[in-house]
Amino acid sequence: MSLDAKTRMLHRAAHELKDGMFINLGIGLPTQLVNYVDEGANVCLHSENGMSGVGPLVPYEKADRNLIDAGGGYVSRLAGSAFFDSALSFAMVRRGRLDLTVLGAFEVAMNGDLANWMIPGKFTPGIGGAIELAQKTPRVVILTTHQDKKGQSKIVRECSLPLTAKKCVNRIYTDMAVMDVLEDGLILKEIADGLSIEDVVKATAAPLQIADTIVHF
Amino acid sequence: MIIKQSDVREAIARIPDGATVCVGGFGVPGTPFYLLQELVRHGAKDLTIVKNDANERGMGVDHLLKNGQVKKLIVTHIGLNANAIRMMNEAEIEVEFNPQGILAEKLRAAGAGLQGILTDVGIDTTLAEGKTIITYDGRQCIVEPPIKADFALIHAAIADQTGNVRYSATAQNFNPLMAMAADCVICEAEQVVEAGRLDADLIHTPSPFVDHVVEIAELSEEYNVIRR
């Protein structure tokens, strides 16, 4: 993925983060969305390790050794921040208090199944908070490269990897496209500048319905 | 007034081989490195360690792993410790993964004297395999048992001599839950003050959940900001 394509994807996906929302951003790419939030949109970020109102990352010299986000980055507190224990942190997740979570993916299936925590024999770090976020957040969107490093589509008919949660994904943002998960499968709604509908269809290992109007981003 | 201030060696010497030991912390914040260091020196073996993670290589729980003291880890994620992953893959240790909030609730259930919890979290995943699943109120639920421990090692920013505890920022994490789940709770504190010096309205873990308070002699390198 070129830097250009990545920036464009982040800019586009950041529109998901709307004024007034309480949001959990997954480790990696999703965390970077913070830097692209629409001007004037006030959002409150949740971190699994026990914080609401997560502030920007800080340089090591200014870091508080007791203040990290769930990815281990040193973050700051804001006016309105709160700290709490891990039970309360996931109580608000399971209770449905979050409005949105943005997660990464190894595979997303056309019915909204998500696999993002384990590759048997290769990557077995454990589940962390991924199941609860995927299963219990009212809106789950995926931010990922369209294809893996070997050029295989991450958007598939059926997940082959162990699932994180069934039918949990509402929308997928990639470097190539924006797709919504409908009752009967995926619909292609937007494509990256410079690509054609055929390019996206060819790069996708699941059938795509095509929206009447395709927007470029 | 019950004074619970204790010497670190006396406190940790209570932990026998085969004990189940809860350990606070999420990454560095809240990990009781001082108590863990003493547990390595003490040498109790065949331990079951309950913790969110396995710290990183060369830190905290990893010292116990390297010293061959751990039989089983009950955790949510060990991705930052390649040594723990290797030991799991080579079957040198047993590892049980829990969804993060469910680990918290299983500990809280033990701490609240409950027989377990009902949840649908993970019901569609491989983590549900082998678990008791019941239909309650028309919905399928996993019966998750409580996690009760013999000991808990927790880290406080400040404690009073009677065992009232406060944490700092995201160093709170699993510490209050680990304290609730264990029969004997050993708390290390960066500062120990006389009873009455902490505002009773602002206690995170109250003294009935704490048995021994140990003042950290000196914060070791492990407590510092990690520069990656």
Side-chain angles (χ1 to χ4, degrees):
Chain A
M1 182 172 52
S2 71
L3 190 62
D4 230 29
K6 182 179 161 186
T7 309
R8 210 162 39 216
M9 169 174 79
L10 289 167
H11 268 293
R12 174 60 194 94
H15 295 313
E16 277 282 340
L17 284 59
K18 295 189 176 69
D19 192 48
M21 279 186 163
F22 185 36
I23 300 167
N24 184 293
L25 298 176
I27 294 163
L29 267 182
T31 309
Q32 297 183 31
L33 288 176
V34 162
N35 305 318
Y36 298 87
V37 178
D38 295 341
E39 208 170 315
N42 286 306
V43 298
C44 179
L45 298 180
H46 170 262
S47 189
E48 295 94 303
N49 57 327
M51 183 177 192
S52 57
V54 180
L57 289 165
V58 292
Y60 294 123
E61 312 80 78
K62 291 190 177 165
D64 173 346
R65 64 186 162 82
N66 289 317
L67 183 41
I68 62 171
D69 63 17
Y74 291 96
V75 293
S76 48
R77 59 184 88 195
L78 302 169
S81 294
F83 301 115
F84 32 81
D85 69 49
S86 297
L88 203 59
S89 185
F90 280 92
M92 53 186 82
V93 174
R94 293 190 307 272
R95 181 67 180 81
R97 278 277 161 186
L98 286 171
D99 297 297
L100 170 73
T101 186
V102 185
L103 300 172
F106 296 145
E107 291 177 331
V108 189
M110 57 187 286
N111 68 348
D113 287 0
L114 171 66
N116 75 349
W117 73 284
M118 183 187 189
I119 302 173
K122 282 187 185 164
F123 181 77
T124 52
I127 188 69
I131 292 179
E132 285 153 296
L133 288 167
Q135 197 177 328
K136 296 295 184 183
T137 308
R139 182 167 173 80
V140 176
V141 309
I142 300 301
L143 180 67
T144 179
T145 55
H146 203 93
Q147 298 172 314
D148 66 17
K149 283 173 187 158
K150 290 179 182 162
Q152 300 287 319
S153 173
K154 290 186 167 189
I155 321 300
V156 294
R157 280 177 179 273
E158 243 177 274
C159 292
S160 61
L161 296 169
L163 291 187
T164 307
K166 271 189 185 164
K167 293 189 173 183
C168 61
V169 175
N170 299 100
R171 173 171 273 200
I172 308 163
Y173 291 94
T174 75
D175 49 325
M176 299 182 79
V178 180
M179 293 150 283
D180 276 343
V181 181
L182 305 178
E183 274 303 313
D184 59 347
L186 298 170
I187 182 163
L188 177 63
K189 301 189 87 167
E190 301 181 27
I191 59 179
D193 273 340
L195 295 180
S196 67
I197 292 173
E198 289 68 37
D199 292 333
V200 176
V201 169
K202 244 188 250 172
T204 308
L208 294 174
Q209 302 172 50
I210 313 294
D212 292 340
T213 317
I214 291 284
V215 177
H216 284 259
F217 67 90
Chain B
M1 187 168 57
I2 307 167
I3 301 295
K4 296 175 182 171
Q5 207 162 356
S6 172
D7 172 75
V8 66
R9 289 202 174 194
E10 278 175 31
I12 295 295
R14 292 179 167 82
I15 301 177
D17 290 353
T20 296
V21 182
C22 284
V23 182
F26 186 120
V28 167
T31 298
F33 293 109
Y34 185 64
L35 298 178
L36 288 170
Q37 186 185 24
E38 178 57 23
L39 183 53
V40 169
R41 203 201 60 79
H42 168 55
K45 294 190 299 286
D46 296 324
L47 301 173
T48 295
I49 299 293
V50 186
K51 192 180 186 297
N52 175 63
D53 54 82
N55 290 114
E56 299 183 32
R57 276 179 103 135
M59 296 182 72
V61 164
D62 193 48
H63 297 305
L64 292 173
L65 291 168
K66 286 215 174 97
N67 206 29
Q69 292 174 259
V70 179
K71 182 178 70 180
K72 180 176 180 180
L73 286 177
I74 299 177
V75 289
T76 79
H77 196 278
I78 58 173
L80 288 178
N81 188 335
N83 181 49
I85 290 179
R86 182 195 61 76
M87 289 178 81
M88 170 179 75
N89 289 340
E90 293 177 12
E92 290 176 30
I93 53 168
E94 187 189 338
V95 178
E96 174 192 314
F97 288 118
N98 288 265
Q100 204 162 85
I102 299 305
L103 179 67
E105 290 300 330
K106 288 163 82 168
L107 292 160
R108 214 195 71 82
L114 303 175
Q115 306 306 311
I117 60 165
L118 293 181
T119 179
D120 65 351
V121 167
I123 199 149
D124 297 327
T125 73
T126 53
L127 291 189
E129 286 169 12
K131 292 183 178 174
T132 303
I133 293 175
I134 64 163
T135 302
Y136 182 79
D137 205 14
R139 294 170 66 183
Q140 287 219 306
C141 307
I142 301 173
V143 181
E144 292 279 9
I147 298 177
K148 197 162 179 290
D150 303 308
F151 292 86
L153 310 182
I154 65 170
H155 176 92
I158 187 164
D160 72 22
Q161 293 174 314
T162 73
N164 290 309
V165 166
R166 284 178 55 73
Y167 311 101
S168 172
T170 58
Q172 181 169 173
N173 57 62
F174 276 89
N175 277 298
L177 305 153
M178 298 299 180
M180 290 174 70
D183 291 335
C184 178
V185 177
I186 305 169
C187 172
E188 62 165 49
E190 295 179 29
Q191 193 187 356
V192 179
V193 296
E194 284 175 15
R197 294 280 302 281
L198 292 183
D199 184 339
D201 275 331
L202 300 177
I203 304 297
H204 286 130
T205 295
S207 65
F209 277 121
V210 176
D211 298 282
H212 305 284
V213 177
V214 170
E215 190 161 34
I216 300 169
E218 194 186 350
L219 287 175
S220 67
E221 190 64 27
E222 286 178 275
Y223 290 94
N224 290 346
V225 169
I226 301 176
R227 291 166 184 256
R228 289 194 172 83

